[in-house]
Amino acid sequence: MARLLITGGAGFIGSHTCVVLLEAGHNLLVLDNFSNSSPVALERLKSILNLNDRDSASRLQVFQGDVRDIDLLEKIFEKSELQSSPIEAVIHFAGLKAVEESVHDPLGYWDVNVSGSRTLLEVMDKHDCKTLVFSSSATLYGYPDIVPIPESAPINPINPYGASKAAVEMMLADVAGCLKDRGIKQASTTGWRIARLRYFNPVGAHPSGCIGEDPNGVPNNLFPYVSQVAIGRRGTLQVFGSDWPTSDGTGIRDYIHVMDLAEGHKCALDALVGSGPQLLTLNLGSGVGSSVLEVIRAFETASGREVPYKIVERRPGDAAITVADPTLAYKCLGWRTRRGLNEICRDGWAWQFANPNGYKGEVA
Ligand code: WQD
């Protein structure tokens, strides 16, 4: 089993991926600045995995800090080398991810997402750690020309968040010595093993209800907002438009259970470690579209709670339909989603019901 560095490992997708990696026997070093996450999530991992203090001291080491801090990154890599257990691979989640926020703070997004990734790559290269799984996003496709969206679709980000993800993808292609616009699986001429995973809409929670999505402030995204209405933290959901060219007039998205997404990261890591230097680019989605009204109904069924909503104007920057073509992830990794909207709502509600205020108020 390997020693892995997980940047942003306390976050929504990072914490769920840590569960899967720990269950697979890996030893993790987590770097997180807790700007949009909580150390409580990492404590909860110990209970999910039944890790005692002695086990977690060696299997789940936590470093509080920022991925842009080169001295801290150096210290983490050097400490592992001194322990004769060098870091073999990195899964890079740390970054900012709110579309609307990125419009108001483009330089902040380019600093954290792009400069932070560059700093990480520099330190990895210096320590001869050349295996990386990168948290990319379907947001870089912008308005899709064709749906379902294949990996070969044009990269056309329409906000600074998507642009920052596209920029890191280009940086990774250069580091791998690959032409930027060729295929989903390219041989690397520099010895790097890189997977660029383009998430669609990550939602849901670990079935234990111990960890889940806990956005700061008012949720921008549909699923956490619906969940907070159901638990009574929010009054009425605003549905952004009912005049879209879709079955019921509301926006359609590809919602992927966060546990499916976490398992996809493990499969991608296994594929990189098990084969030669390469640049792999894959959509991680279900291939199934669900409308806003379908999500509301499914969540009401799972929770037994009403989710009152009001139809309002379309949100600027929204597309009508965004759904993945997930066939290449299955071809390359043997991975596909195994959970649908009902499991998403069941597990998302279990988390919200057990944690009405998320991790707030808990002390790590
Ligand atoms: C989904 C649908 C809205 C909120 C996000 C971001 C980014 C990315 C995942 C990682 C749309 C509608 C939403 C609300 C609503 N993550 N909606 N009322 O727009 O696909 O964008 O995708 O990269 O977080 O790019 O997700 O959840 O914001 O919206 O009616 O209060 O729900 O119009 O149709 P989206 P979303």
Side-chain angles (χ1 to χ4, degrees):
M1 290 305 126
R3 176 171 281 205
L4 309 172
L5 172 61
I6 317 297
T7 74
F12 174 39
I13 302 163
S15 58
H16 287 78
T17 304
C18 285
V19 171
V20 172
L21 296 171
L22 286 164
E23 286 174 341
H26 295 297
N27 296 319
L28 309 183
L29 302 160
V30 171
L31 172 64
D32 204 303
N33 66 3
F34 303 122
S35 64
N36 190 23
S37 58
S38 169
V40 175
L42 300 174
E43 286 302 311
R44 300 278 181 90
L45 295 188
K46 297 175 187 175
S47 64
I48 293 173
L49 275 294
N50 292 317
L51 291 179
N52 60 37
D53 288 347
R54 182 168 172 275
D55 290 340
S56 54
S58 63
R59 299 202 59 215
L60 181 61
Q61 295 181 56
V62 181
F63 298 84
Q64 180 170 357
D66 195 300
V67 72
R68 294 167 291 179
D69 183 343
I70 194 165
D71 295 332
L72 177 56
L73 284 171
E74 284 283 4
K75 178 186 156 198
I76 293 170
F77 276 84
E78 286 164 4
K79 182 180 178 185
S80 292
E81 286 151 5
L82 287 172
Q83 293 170 344
S84 305
S85 177
I87 294 168
E88 296 176 57
V90 176
I91 303 188
H92 180 33
F93 294 105
L96 302 177
K97 63 170 187 174
V99 168
E100 191 170 347
E101 180 185 59
S102 78
V103 172
H104 301 298
D105 183 18
L107 291 180
Y109 270 67
W110 278 75
D111 185 22
V112 175
N113 293 358
V114 181
S115 301
S117 297
R118 194 213 63 78
T119 302
L120 173 65
L121 290 166
E122 179 182 334
V123 176
M124 287 178 69
D125 194 45
K126 179 180 174 186
H127 291 268
D128 199 30
C129 174
K130 294 189 171 183
T131 304
L132 175 76
V133 176
F134 173 61
S135 170
S136 190
S137 170
T139 307
L140 54 66
Y141 291 120
Y143 295 119
D145 295 335
I146 50 174
V147 174
I149 306 171
E151 288 83 353
S152 56
I155 306 300
N156 184 26
I158 54 174
N159 53 64
Y161 165 65
S164 71
K165 290 296 186 179
V168 177
E169 285 209 3
M170 290 173 71
M171 189 191 306
L172 293 174
D174 286 345
V175 163
C178 296
L179 291 177
K180 295 182 185 55
D181 54 0
R182 263 186 31 212
I184 59 106
K185 184 180 170 95
Q186 302 176 54
S188 162
T189 58
T190 60
W192 280 77
R193 293 176 168 86
I194 296 173
R196 306 181 298 188
L197 304 182
R198 294 172 179 171
Y199 310 160
F200 279 70
N201 289 59
V203 288
H206 187 270
S208 67
C210 293
I211 56 175
E213 186 172 13
D214 185 24
N216 286 340
V218 178
N220 298 307
N221 299 136
L222 177 68
F223 199 86
Y225 202 106
V226 166
S227 186
Q228 290 187 14
V229 169
I231 198 71
R233 280 177 62 184
R234 307 277 168 206
T236 302
L237 169 74
Q238 295 188 81
V239 174
F240 297 139
S242 62
D243 57 350
W244 293 100
T246 62
S247 50
D248 62 17
T250 62
I252 290 178
R253 295 291 183 275
D254 183 331
Y255 297 99
I256 174 171
H257 195 298
V258 65
M259 290 311 296
D260 280 327
L261 192 58
E263 289 163 6
H265 285 74
K266 178 187 174 297
C267 292
L269 180 68
D270 291 347
L272 291 180
V273 171
S275 59
Q278 61 185 300
L279 175 67
L280 204 50
T281 306
L282 296 170
N283 289 336
L284 293 191
S286 69
V288 175
S290 301
S291 74
V292 175
L293 295 181
E294 286 169 338
V295 170
I296 293 170
R297 280 194 290 275
F299 204 91
E300 288 181 327
T301 301
S303 63
R305 303 284 181 91
E306 187 191 1
V307 177
Y309 65 87
K310 182 174 73 169
I311 305 289
V312 298
E313 288 302 301
R314 294 181 177 185
R315 178 174 63 177
D318 268 356
I321 303 176
T322 305
V323 173
D325 174 348
T327 49
L328 286 174
Y330 184 67
K331 184 180 173 190
C332 288
L333 306 180
W335 170 91
R336 59 163 62 119
T337 56
R338 298 188 292 123
R339 303 160 178 92
L341 188 58
N342 293 334
E343 289 88 349
I344 285 169
C345 293
R346 176 199 66 197
D347 296 340
W349 176 243
W351 148 256
Q352 189 75 80
F353 184 74
N355 304 273
N357 295 309
Y359 297 115
K360 276 54 170 192
E362 288 272 300
V363 177

